[in-house]
Amino acid sequence: MKRLRLGYLPLIDAAPLVMARELGFAAEEGLALELQAFGAWAQVRDMLGAGLVDAAHMLVPMPLGQALGLGPALPAMDLVMFLSHGGQAIAVNRTLEARLRDAGHDFAFRDAGAAGRALRAVVAGRLRVGVPFPFSTQLELTSLWLNASGFAPAAVELVTLPPPMMADAMASGEVDAFCVGEPWASVAVERGVAALLLPGTAIWRAPPEKGLVLRRDFAETRPDETGALMRALWRAGRWLDAPEHRGTAAEILSRAEYLDLPPVLAERGLTGRMMISAAGHMRAAPDFVAFHAGAASFPWKSIAALIAGRIARRHGLAETPAMLTAMRHFRTDLYRQHLRPAGAALPGASARIEGALAEDRVVPAEKGQMILRADGFFDGFTFEPPLPSRN
């Protein structure tokens, strides 16, 4: 057995790592996985950069920030596959919840346009919003949604907080709202300090949330272990996307060595059956989180370009060079090389127009056909990358 050390944060979207270890997918690939939990994303990045972990469960935009020179000086890092889409929720504090209810908002937990307009109408002054990292899907979702809802940039203060600290920050008044991955939004509701306003998938139907990130030197000099790890996680994601397995996954994830929470809190995010308020109101969010279905694990270079362009604008960098640099760090070549033997459906191209699919669609694949998951934005936004990829 080859032993690999994987760094992660305690979130439901770490499920592929946990299931690969607990259910034997890693062992069948000849790997013994050692999972090391961290409390903040910067720790995961730094441990990977130092070679103290071999691979990491990481926010999708993080290796892009690194690639653009916006992090510490560390060896090159590449995202080789997505581990999850969705799984985030936007929450507001009890004061904003009361204002929204008084104004007639129904907390339907599905209409981003209506929720954004309602929030803009009841916020007086600056809105302080917690996000887990400066380079995060949560920041991208929040910024896109609030801007489209009429919030000027100066009217929003983004506060970076580790996911497990979101509920405490809201309870202390440090933030008015936050966007975070489950189970930490549900924890805040359970504590009576928050109400859930939207799932991330209401803003972007398939927001790429976590990826498997490796140092480039590891991926290129240890191809057998890289491929074995990717296949184990791909198989774990396939298992997770069977609805009948989500309850078992919640039981395993909730154990003390992983989330250390009651199983019901893990199950909410895995099933999309969310308790959105302290009063016990429930909402269903279909496809709240996905790990495998609809080519969810394929690391589209166009997503790298989209996110890198937004990062570049915020940091005063030239957008097109940033996009082209970022695309080189989403390794569709390694995905094809290592997952083709496992029978993964592979799209014919590595880049596409993002946001163009309002519904799931059958498209040509390398062999036969495959289903791509809907990826539309709530406001109709679409994005075309600067150059197609040949890989």
Side-chain angles (χ1 to χ4, degrees):
M1 287 279 186
K2 294 283 189 178
R3 182 169 297 277
L4 294 182
R5 297 159 297 172
L6 275 61
Y8 76 101
L9 252 62
L11 294 144
I12 63 161
D13 53 39
L17 283 67
V18 174
M19 299 309 136
R21 178 189 184 189
E22 294 285 345
L23 300 181
F25 298 119
E28 291 172 12
E29 293 286 347
L31 298 178
L33 300 185
E34 178 184 325
L35 304 186
Q36 186 170 354
F38 294 96
W41 287 113
Q43 290 178 301
V44 177
R45 175 201 62 201
D46 295 347
M47 291 289 282
L48 179 63
L52 298 175
V53 296
D54 299 305
H57 157 259
M58 192 178 286
L59 292 158
V60 164
M62 285 183 68
L64 303 181
Q66 279 296 114
L68 300 182
L70 298 173
L74 296 171
M77 298 178 184
D78 290 334
L79 186 148
V80 297
M81 63 187 294
F82 292 144
L83 295 173
S84 64
H85 288 249
Q88 320 91 346
I90 291 175
V92 295
N93 64 20
R94 299 299 300 276
T95 299
L96 286 175
E97 178 193 7
R99 291 180 189 170
L100 286 163
R101 292 192 185 280
D102 288 346
H105 185 62
D106 60 4
F107 280 81
F109 203 59
R110 62 174 181 269
D111 188 334
R117 291 188 296 272
L119 186 63
R120 174 68 280 190
V122 302
V123 169
R126 205 175 218 195
L127 182 70
R128 298 164 300 167
V129 183
V131 294
F133 200 71
F135 308 115
S136 62
T137 304
Q138 287 86 347
L139 184 146
E140 301 303 338
L141 288 170
T142 302
S143 299
L144 186 153
W145 172 60
L146 291 177
N147 181 67
S149 300
F151 285 84
V156 178
E157 178 185 356
L158 295 174
V159 181
T160 301
L161 297 161
M165 299 296 293
M166 292 289 183
D168 287 341
M170 187 165 280
S172 68
E174 186 178 349
V175 296
D176 309 304
F178 61 67
C179 181
V180 73
E182 277 291 280
W184 301 109
S186 287
V187 167
V189 172
E190 197 75 13
R191 287 181 52 182
V193 300
L196 303 188
L197 188 58
L198 284 175
T201 52
I203 299 169
W204 184 0
R205 288 283 298 276
E209 175 57 19
K210 300 300 188 307
L212 176 65
V213 178
L214 307 175
R215 279 178 36 162
R216 182 170 291 174
D217 55 3
F218 182 100
E220 295 186 346
T221 62
R222 298 167 69 176
D224 291 345
E225 291 158 271
T226 296
L229 178 59
M230 291 175 68
R231 288 188 295 273
L233 295 176
W234 180 82
R235 293 173 63 202
R238 182 174 60 181
W239 181 89
L240 279 161
D241 266 1
E244 64 271 21
H245 294 159
R246 294 289 176 99
T248 300
E251 291 285 346
I252 295 171
L253 276 172
S254 66
R255 294 174 185 170
E257 61 266 40
Y258 300 123
L259 297 184
D260 194 20
L261 291 170
V264 66
L265 290 179
E267 190 169 5
R268 288 177 192 170
L270 284 169
T271 62
R273 295 191 292 269
M274 307 294 290
M275 189 170 81
I276 64 156
S277 73
H281 299 120
M282 302 297 295
R283 297 288 186 270
D287 300 320
F288 179 78
V289 64
F291 301 97
H292 176 84
S297 58
F298 188 77
W300 294 97
K301 289 181 177 289
S302 42
I303 289 178
L306 188 163
I307 295 172
R310 293 177 59 83
I311 292 172
R313 285 195 294 277
R314 284 197 297 272
H315 290 269
L317 303 178
E319 291 182 38
T320 297
M323 293 179 190
L324 296 174
T325 294
M327 292 168 81
R328 293 194 290 271
H329 288 262
F330 274 30
R331 298 297 298 274
T332 54
D333 58 331
L334 296 181
Y335 186 97
R336 294 179 189 280
Q337 174 187 338
H338 294 305
L339 290 179
R340 186 180 286 115
L346 300 171
S350 292
R352 61 180 182 177
I353 298 176
E354 295 296 330
L357 300 183
E359 303 294 338
D360 292 357
R361 182 179 298 175
V362 177
V363 300
E366 273 192 1
K367 293 183 178 180
Q369 296 179 319
M370 63 187 296
I371 296 174
L372 295 183
R373 62 189 306 101
D375 73 336
F377 291 84
F378 84 102
D379 60 350
F381 168 77
T382 59
F383 170 81
E384 186 170 359
L387 286 175
S389 170
R390 296 180 179 179
N391 293 326

